[in-house]
Every structure is written in structure tokens, then in C-alpha cells.
Amino acid sequence: MSQFPDLVIFIPGILGSVLVKDGKTVWDLSVIGLYRGTRLTELQLDAPGSLDDDIGDGIAAISVVGNVGGIPGLWKLGGYSRLRDKLIADLGLLLDRNFREFPYDWRRDNRVASSRLSLKSREWLTHWRDVSGNPKAKIWIVAHSMGGLVARHFIECLEGWKIVRSLTTIGTPHRGSGKALDFLNAVSAPGLADRLLPGFDIARNFDSVYQLLPTYPFIVDSSGNYRTYEVSIPGVDQDRAAKAADFHAEIEAGRLRNLKDAVYQASSPRLSVVIGTDQPTYQSAMLAGAGRLAMMTNRDFQGNNGNGDGTVPRVSAMPSGYGEEIATFVCNSHAVIAADKVSLHHLRTYLSGAAINLDAYRDESRAKLGLELEDCYVAGDVLIKAHSSIREQKIGAVIEEITNQVGPRKVTLYRNGEEYLGQIKLQPGFYQATIELLGRSVSDVFWVF
């Protein structure tokens, strides 16, 4: 029996699933197949926008890609066999028992894959609970690139949070990627890949490519303003771009809705992200002559050059509503980041915590939370201290001035050894401080003279 108590599901990114039609392979990313153009025309998406599970084209995803390949100008992959083998060996997982891979038709709207993941994950979890004798087993998801978008939609929009213990995304374009924009726009000025490898242009009709477009101000218009898709760009269907942005908005709306649920607050999945850095990465795009975009790696709409993994900007690899305290940074490119030594070490260490029974360190499975305040302070910088039985990276605090009824102010307490510390500048008055973690809140009052 496996030493790992839960179920691990790996979700590949775009291009990362082997696709077959009528029993014959139409996509497997092999280098030989790439240059021979193996039945690429059969990847044509005839029903863009459809959310039907079966669109009648006979294409099915049967396995996860293990080798190297990609679509030039769009996306590259380094293969997933090393990640799979390493996780199984290091964590003592059992293939097709408590380690599952989730291939999907990566051409289509990610909502289709999310719905299928909802069905398969529950089926696999039920099976693992039965064979392991562990009725409390949950799911740890590891997702590369676009697979992270599939996972987040499942968790936030299809109640996946009820059975998922943790999600780790590796190089996921939570806010999109300029590579997808450049790929669509290149139809107006074909590049080397289009000239040497005809047939790959059919990917410009995929719903998934549109859902990889940047969702934040990325395009510099003729007036120097940063825009999304209010401007006309050759190769980009504005209506499809807007609908693709709705997919991302749906995930965020689901997260905000779930945050109002007390059960979600107490048991929502942990999130960790692996972010590639220090590689030249498109940060913005400027409209040039004839509608062709000039892709820029030197600055984004806030004037920052945050670099990235060569495909996904650093700012995009972090989902909305979270900070970089949940991130592990890897100096490597998007294609190989999933098999990078630092990434694999992070995954092994992070997932190995599943064997620890945290309930033994909690009061009724909830965090032990303590707020340490003096009765009074001198006006100026006031130090707020807290303690917790769960070693989060930070705890949020709210400070309210009671006597003058001034609006609440927020301060973040960061872990410092066995305690959490944060400073806030306060004027004389009577205050209340409140901290909250995993559904438990603690408050106290103090004076400032």
C-alpha cells in the first residue's frame, strides 16, 4: 500500500495531451511527427465555443505527453515523464491508484476539461478511498501551465474545493500570456514557423488559445495608453477575446463567492505556485504599422520589467487575490520548469506534508490563534504580535480606532520564527485589533497615548 494517504492528480498544459482520432495518433509532440506534419489538419476545431462534452469530431485525449515538442511561436513543452517518475518514486505513489494523470482535449474551452475533471476526480477519489481504507482522503492537484486554469475552474466553480486539499500550479498563465497574443496577431505577418511548418495555423482557431490571452492592460495604443481588447488587432477576434476573458472572470467570481462560505473559509485548498524567472518575456505590445504588434520585453503597463519564464510573465503566474508569499521562484524557462530540480524538490517537500496529521496540532481541527498586545503604547510605530499553531507565511490584522470612529486599517503580520510581527503607525486613541485565520478570529483592545 502507498505511504501517501491522499490522491495526486497531474494536469498537463496546452499541447500536453496525446490526441487520437479513429485509433490513430493525430498529436503526440514527437520531433519526427512535428516535421512530417502528422495529420495536423485533423486537429481543426469545427465547433469553437461549444461546451458540449462530445462535438462529434472523433478526437479523444488518451494520455499525457512524455516527450519534447510544441507549436512554434505559441507554446513549447519539455515533456512530463520526469515529473511523473520523480513524484511516484519520492512519495511512494501507486500509478493508477493514488497517482493519476488527467489528459484532455487542449484545443477546446477549458470549461469542458474542468467539467470532465470534476467527474473523473470524484471517480478516482472514491476508488482510492475504497482500496486504501482511508475515507478522509482528499486530492492534491499538480498542474502545469494551462492545466492550472482547468484546476482552478474546477475548484472555484464546480465545488472542487470540497474534495481538493491542495493545488500547485507550475508556470500557469493565471492572467494570460503575450505569446498567445503574438501567435494570433502573426496571421497578418507570417513568421518563420508559419513559412517552414504550414498547418500549425489551425491552432489560431482554438478556444484555448484565446483563453491564454492577457487579461490585464497589455497593448499600448497610438495615444500611449495601455488597453486590453478595445482596440482592433489583426488576427484577434474581439468577441472571442471578450468571451475568453469571461472565463477568467468566472474563476475569480467563484473564488469571491466561495469566500463567503464558512466551510470554504475553514477548509479551502492550499495554493502554492511555481514561477519561472529571469527569462526575457513579453511584458506588453505596441501597435505598429499595418496593425502588426511590436512585442516588448522591457516594461509592462506599470513601468516594471518583471521578466518571467519566457512564456508567462511573472505577474501572470500569480493568480488574483494572492501574494508572492505562496510562490517558489525557479530560474528556468516555461518548457522545462515542470521538470526543473528546484520545482521537483518543492513538490516533493510540499506534498510530503500530507503524511503529517495536522489535526493532532489543532483544537477541533482549527487553528490555535493568539494575539499578543500591550495594554498601552506610545504614539508612533506600534508593534502587533500574534501566534498560530499553523505555520502560515502571514496573518492579516485589522486595526480600528474606536473613540473617533475612524475607518479600519489593515496590517500584515509576517512570520518571524515562532511568532508573527507587523507594525502600524498610530495616533493617540483607543483601538481594537482583530486577526483571523482559517475561520477563527481573535480580538483585543489597547490604548495609544
Side-chain angles (χ1 to χ4, degrees), residues 307-353:
N307 60 69
D309 62 17
T311 297
V312 180
R314 172 173 171 168
V315 295
S316 179
M318 180 61 60
S320 176
Y322 298 88
E324 289 189 341
E325 68 276 358
I326 65 171
T328 295
F329 296 97
V330 178
C331 180
N332 217 326
S333 66
H334 186 81
V336 300
I337 191 174
D340 182 273
K341 290 182 178 180
V342 175
S343 300
L344 293 175
H345 176 75
H346 167 74
L347 287 173
R348 181 190 65 190
T349 307
Y350 183 71
L351 270 70
S352 63

Side-chain angles (χ1 to χ4, degrees), residues 26 210 310 339:
V26 291
Y210 274 87

Side-chain angles (χ1 to χ4, degrees), residues 33 43 52 67 79 82 110 123 128 139 185 254 259 272 275 277 299 318 346 361 378 391 411 440:
L43 290 175
D52 293 338
N67 48 9
R82 183 180 179 188
N110 284 302
E123 173 189 320
W128 174 243
I139 298 171
N185 179 241
L259 283 171
S272 71
I275 299 176
T277 63
R299 71 176 188 273
M318 180 61 60
H346 167 74
Y361 303 91
V378 175
R391 295 177 65 83
V411 59
R440 170 165 290 182

Side-chain angles (χ1 to χ4, degrees), residues 31-75:
V31 176
I32 294 176
L34 175 70
Y35 287 100
R36 289 180 180 173
T38 0
R39 307 183 71 187
L40 289 175
T41 55
E42 298 193 46
L43 290 175
Q44 177 69 43
L45 184 60
D46 296 325
S50 173
L51 296 182
D52 293 338
D53 181 59
D54 185 357
I55 56 176
D57 62 0
I59 290 182
I62 61 167
S63 62
V64 168
V65 166
N67 48 9
V68 180
I71 290 182
L74 176 60
W75 233 255

Side-chain angles (χ1 to χ4, degrees), residues 47 58 84 129 162 169 172-173 269-270 293 299 303 307-308 317 319 392:
R84 175 183 60 242
R129 284 174 172 175
K162 294 182 177 180
T169 66
T172 291
R270 295 163 57 191
L293 291 173
R299 71 176 188 273
N307 60 69
E392 298 289 336

Side-chain angles (χ1 to χ4, degrees), residues 242-421:
K243 290 179 179 178
D246 288 342
F247 165 75
H248 293 269
E250 189 176 315
I251 294 175
E252 179 61 8
R255 184 183 74 87
L256 294 176
R257 181 177 59 253
N258 292 334
L259 283 171
K260 299 177 183 179
D261 188 309
V263 180
Y264 179 92
Q265 292 178 19
S267 60
S268 61
R270 295 163 57 191
L271 176 64
S272 71
V273 299
V274 177
I275 299 176
T277 63
D278 301 316
Q279 315 307 311
T281 309
Y282 295 148
Q283 305 293 326
S284 57
M286 182 174 291
L287 284 172
R292 186 72 175 99
L293 291 173
M295 307 302 295
M296 297 184 290
T297 60
N298 60 339
R299 71 176 188 273
D300 64 13
F301 73 102
Q302 293 183 328
N304 303 316
N305 180 13
N307 60 69
D309 62 17
T311 297
V312 180
R314 172 173 171 168
V315 295
S316 179
M318 180 61 60
S320 176
Y322 298 88
E324 289 189 341
E325 68 276 358
I326 65 171
T328 295
F329 296 97
V330 178
C331 180
N332 217 326
S333 66
H334 186 81
V336 300
I337 191 174
D340 182 273
K341 290 182 178 180
V342 175
S343 300
L344 293 175
H345 176 75
H346 167 74
L347 287 173
R348 181 190 65 190
T349 307
Y350 183 71
L351 270 70
S352 63
I356 300 173
N357 179 17
L358 293 179
D359 288 350
Y361 303 91
R362 301 177 188 174
D363 177 16
E364 298 177 352
S365 301
R366 298 172 68 192
K368 293 181 179 179
L369 193 60
L371 180 60
E372 183 177 343
L373 294 174
E374 301 292 338
D375 284 345
C376 58
Y377 298 87
V378 175
D381 289 327
V382 173
L383 182 65
I384 310 296
K385 295 183 180 181
H387 301 272
S388 170
S389 60
I390 298 180
R391 295 177 65 83
E392 298 289 336
Q393 292 299 316
K394 64 179 183 178
I395 298 176
V398 176
I399 312 297
E400 296 178 88
E401 208 285 306
I402 299 173
T403 52
N404 295 325
Q405 295 185 336
V406 178
R409 296 168 58 189
K410 295 181 179 180
V411 59
T412 300
L413 313 183
Y414 292 95
R415 194 172 74 197
N416 182 28
E418 298 300 317
E419 59 186 3
Y420 294 81
L421 305 176

